Amino acid sequence: MNNTIAIIVTYNRIELLKECLIALNESDYFCDILIVDNASSDGTKEYLNDLLNKKNNNYIIYYYNTNENIGGAGGYNFGLKKAIELDNKYKYFWLMDDDCIVSKNSLSKLINVAKEKNDDFGFLSSKVLWSDGSICKTNIQRKKVARKIRDFKNRIVRVDYASFVSVLFKREDVIKLGFPIKDFFIWTDDLEYTRRFSKISNSYLINDSIVIHKCKQNIGVDITKESEDRIFRYKYIYRNDFYTFKKEGLLGIIFLFTRLIYHILKVLFLSNSKINKIKTILNGYIEGISFSPKVEYANTK
């Protein structure tokens, strides 16, 4: 029986999802797979239903359709709840996006460290590369609030924050610390969630566990470069960041307001749609002040 289950959230990216699943199938350390489909309309449901009918002796696939788009945050919240409901079958939960392409030994490298540390860790995360082999800017782990990791050579590096692109949690800790906040919808849910774990136990980047993140561009999240029709999405990141980093005390507040000024200046000097983008930034911060979402916990009784 596999002791790890991969949890994947997907939405209308069937070709990338296929590539993700093929890579998992070629892993040297087998895991079962739980797929949360945010009501895709591109044939994902039909493809996965067909896949479920094909017997595979190496792993089990669980498929859940949410019947609406509940965002990445809602998807991981939903997926972890379902994984917990599978009783105590799985020791580890391995979260990843549908455009995350794992290497053959991505999981085994994480499991090796888990064993070496006798499971004394908050989370373990992989080194994330972009399609061209460079470091993926969207998924660089952080130490403290604003310090992104630069050490991609040492095998194990202490970190405080990571993305949901190949990150491993222990089941017992998920029960203790709860689920990702579904009200975030998109963005920062991974930073807020991983920070809960790094606060209770040292957490790590494992540099010899490598995955590829096939996002469209390797520019990180940057409102100055965003197209007009996608600006509205950035309200979530500024609101969610405010909620997440204000909990870090004075350092978090300094970071938030320094970044506010910096991003407004960037928009003014480097961007089009200036008024709309500045309004989005300010509205996100304003909403963040009163934003107080509920953290849900597992019911294991």
Side-chain angles (χ1 to χ4, degrees), residues 25 67 72 87 104 181 183 213 221 265 276 282 284 294:
N25 184 49
N67 297 313
D87 202 15
K104 185 175 182 179
I181 298 173
D183 291 337
H213 188 193
V221 178
L265 289 175
N276 196 6
L282 291 174
K294 179 183 178 182

Side-chain angles (χ1 to χ4, degrees), residues 50-65:
D50 182 60
L51 198 62
L52 291 174
N53 291 325
K54 297 178 181 177
K55 183 176 177 59
N56 190 304
N57 294 323
N58 295 323
Y59 55 81
I60 301 169
I61 294 180
Y62 302 90
Y63 170 57
Y64 301 94
N65 193 310

Side-chain angles (χ1 to χ4, degrees), residues 85-127:
E85 288 174 6
L86 295 171
D87 202 15
N88 59 356
K89 183 175 181 179
Y90 301 104
K91 185 176 184 179
Y92 304 111
F93 299 148
W94 187 25
L95 274 60
M96 67 188 69
D97 284 347
D98 55 5
D99 56 355
C100 173
I101 313 302
V102 305
S103 303
K104 185 175 182 179
N105 60 3
S106 298
L107 179 56
S108 61
K109 295 293 185 180
L110 296 178
I111 297 296
N112 288 343
V113 174
K115 291 178 179 178
E116 289 171 19
K117 294 191 173 295
N118 294 314
D119 282 339
D120 184 14
F121 65 89
F123 67 82
L124 304 176
S125 60
S126 299
K127 176 163 67 176

Side-chain angles (χ1 to χ4, degrees), residues 70-74 76 97 138-139 162-164 180-193 213 220-223 226 230-245 259 280 291:
I70 57 177
Y76 287 114
D97 284 347
T138 306
N139 308 113
S163 73
F164 283 160
I181 298 173
K182 63 183 180 183
D183 291 337
F184 273 34
F185 190 65
I186 56 170
W187 284 333
T188 319
D189 51 314
D190 45 10
L191 299 184
E192 188 279 333
Y193 195 59
H213 188 193
V221 178
D222 189 347
I223 194 171
E226 195 57 83
R230 290 169 60 87
I231 294 173
F232 74 95
R233 302 167 79 246
Y234 281 76
K235 177 194 74 172
Y236 296 110
I237 194 168
Y238 291 110
R239 181 196 68 181
N240 298 343
D241 277 8
F242 196 98
Y243 171 87
T244 298
F245 295 123
R259 192 183 65 164
T280 299
F291 185 51

Side-chain angles (χ1 to χ4, degrees), residues 32 49 68 71 98 106 113 159 196 224 266 294 297:
D32 292 343
N49 281 333
E68 61 177 321
D98 55 5
S106 298
V113 174
V159 297
R196 288 188 225 168
T224 63
K266 277 186 70 176
K294 179 183 178 182
Y297 293 88

